[in-house]
Amino acid sequence: MSQKQSKKSSTALVSDFCNYLQFNKGLSENTVKAYRSDVLEFFKFLGKDEINNVTLESFITSLSNKNQSENSKVRKISSINQYVQWFNSNSLEKQIIIDKISLKTGSYLPETLPVSDITKMIETYEATNFLDARNKVIIDFMYSTACRVSELTDVKISDVDFDDNFVKLQGKGSKQRIVPIGSELKINLFLYLKIRKELDTVESLLFLSRNKKKLDRTAVFRVIKKTALKAGINASIHPHTLRHSAATHMLEAGCDLRTLQEFLGHTSVSTTKIYTKLTKEFLVEIFKESHPRA
């Protein structure tokens, strides 16, 4: 981690992380030592570079070049994932945006939330004022439509069709797609628009800042992060987490890959296939936790 990401030194951060593991999670001294060694090794590799998917992949490549065992690499990546989750849970100002990586598949696996946690986030707000109503709909909209942040901030009121229950989204490369509006999102949208009308603004965008301007991408991130904390969700969450969660939940419920591709606005189905790997990982985890002969 560079000094850009935190005023604390990497050594001090690792010490805080290890104290958390020992005193809050009750891990053994040997386990904590392993975490410390793994994360410090990664920081040494980083130098002044930022923690992101590219540097993590480079680190994995370097481990492979050293002929380290798969078990060793899995443990080190797990340590880094745990550190990132801890860091993001304790930092509102700066976040490390990184996807989970599966060494078995060699591809990144997005973090997801269970439906119960997303429901908690949506129900954190009551639609009694503009900001609360807006925040409630932002979370519901992102999960229900699986939209990207840029798509959310660009949606106009005229893009929403309440008669046929769909919304028009403009994705990457100015490609448009039609996404259904669920019954619960429709109710929340109605309540939000009723309050929004009182703002006395001619702005056509659906989601506005408190100053009646276009909503900034970083503002969406802050809404998601703060809402998760209010809901008592101790996980590394960013706006894309809601998109990943929606895609995973649909696939687990039986949605076919081609339909999911259209829903997400992926140009290639190969991009969508990452979610099949994610559901397999989920199945393996559940098997290990619940089967007597796992």
Side-chain angles (χ1 to χ4, degrees):
M1 175 183 294
S2 75
Q3 294 299 316
K4 295 178 182 178
Q5 287 178 316
S6 176
K7 295 179 181 179
K8 278 190 174 184
S9 68
S10 58
T11 303
L13 283 168
V14 173
S15 294
D16 290 346
F17 171 56
C18 290
N19 287 336
Y20 163 77
L21 294 176
Q22 186 171 359
F23 299 112
N24 292 74
K25 300 197 75 173
L27 299 185
S28 69
E29 185 177 346
N30 286 338
T31 301
V32 173
K33 282 183 179 179
Y35 273 107
R36 181 191 299 274
S37 174
D38 293 340
V39 177
L40 285 176
E41 180 184 352
F42 182 48
F43 280 142
K44 184 178 180 180
F45 173 83
L46 282 175
K48 294 183 179 181
D49 291 336
E50 300 282 336
I51 298 178
N52 52 45
N53 287 339
V54 175
T55 53
L56 179 55
E57 188 171 11
S58 296
F59 178 64
I60 295 169
T61 301
S62 73
L63 296 178
S64 298
N65 292 337
K66 294 177 183 177
N67 295 320
Q68 295 205 5
S69 68
E70 287 300 306
N71 286 340
S72 177
K73 286 190 287 186
V74 167
R75 192 200 71 213
K76 289 179 180 182
I77 296 307
S78 175
S79 297
I80 295 168
N81 282 331
Q82 288 288 330
Y83 172 81
V84 169
Q85 182 174 332
W86 168 82
F87 180 90
N88 287 343
S89 297
N90 289 276
S91 173
L92 278 175
E93 295 182 0
K94 201 72 179 178
Q95 297 283 295
I96 302 172
I97 306 303
I98 198 166
D99 289 329
K100 183 179 178 182
I101 189 170
S102 167
L103 291 176
K104 293 179 181 178
T105 60
S107 59
Y108 288 99
L109 298 180
E111 297 284 359
T112 62
L113 291 175
V115 178
S116 58
D117 279 355
I118 293 172
T119 301
K120 282 182 187 177
M121 291 177 66
I122 295 171
E123 294 180 349
T124 296
Y125 300 99
E126 296 290 338
T128 55
N129 58 67
F130 169 70
L131 287 180
D132 282 356
R134 184 204 66 183
N135 292 348
K136 186 183 188 76
V137 175
I138 282 175
I139 298 163
D140 197 354
F141 192 95
M142 294 203 74
Y143 176 67
S144 297
T145 67
C147 68
R148 303 176 178 93
V149 178
S150 57
E151 294 169 346
L152 176 90
T153 56
D154 286 342
V155 170
K156 298 181 177 64
I157 296 177
S158 59
D159 290 330
V160 182
D161 187 326
F162 286 113
D163 293 327
D164 291 331
N165 297 321
F166 72 81
V167 60
K168 182 171 62 177
L169 300 176
Q170 183 160 303
K172 293 182 178 179
S174 298
K175 292 182 180 179
Q176 293 184 343
R177 69 182 186 282
I178 301 299
V179 176
I181 295 175
S183 57
E184 295 184 61
L185 174 59
K186 185 175 182 179
I187 293 171
N188 288 331
L189 272 170
F190 267 129
L191 293 173
Y192 165 65
L193 286 173
K194 183 178 180 181
I195 295 174
R196 188 190 179 286
K197 286 181 181 179
E198 300 173 3
L199 293 182
D200 188 28
T201 176
V202 295
E203 179 58 66
S204 62
L205 292 170
L206 178 60
F207 297 106
L208 303 178
S209 69
R210 64 173 69 241
N211 297 321
K212 305 176 187 178
K213 303 295 183 181
K214 180 177 179 178
L215 197 61
D216 188 78
R217 291 169 57 92
T218 57
V220 178
F221 177 87
R222 289 194 297 271
V223 168
I224 301 300
K225 180 64 179 178
K226 290 181 179 179
T227 303
L229 291 175
K230 284 184 179 180
I233 301 169
N234 185 25
S236 176
I237 299 174
H238 47 89
H240 236 55
T241 305
L242 299 178
R243 175 173 164 89
H244 295 324
S245 299
T248 303
H249 296 161
M250 289 177 68
L251 201 59
E252 289 175 347
C255 178
D256 66 271
L257 211 55
R258 288 291 181 183
T259 301
L260 185 61
Q261 176 192 355
E262 292 293 325
F263 185 73
L264 296 174
H266 287 161
T267 303
S268 170
V269 73
S270 62
T271 308
T272 316
K273 283 183 179 178
I274 188 173
Y275 295 105
T276 63
K277 297 173 183 176
L278 185 62
T279 53
K280 288 176 183 176
E281 290 281 317
F282 174 77
L283 179 60
V284 169
E285 288 180 12
I286 295 300
F287 173 76
K288 288 181 178 179
E289 291 175 4
S290 59
H291 199 289
R293 296 180 69 82

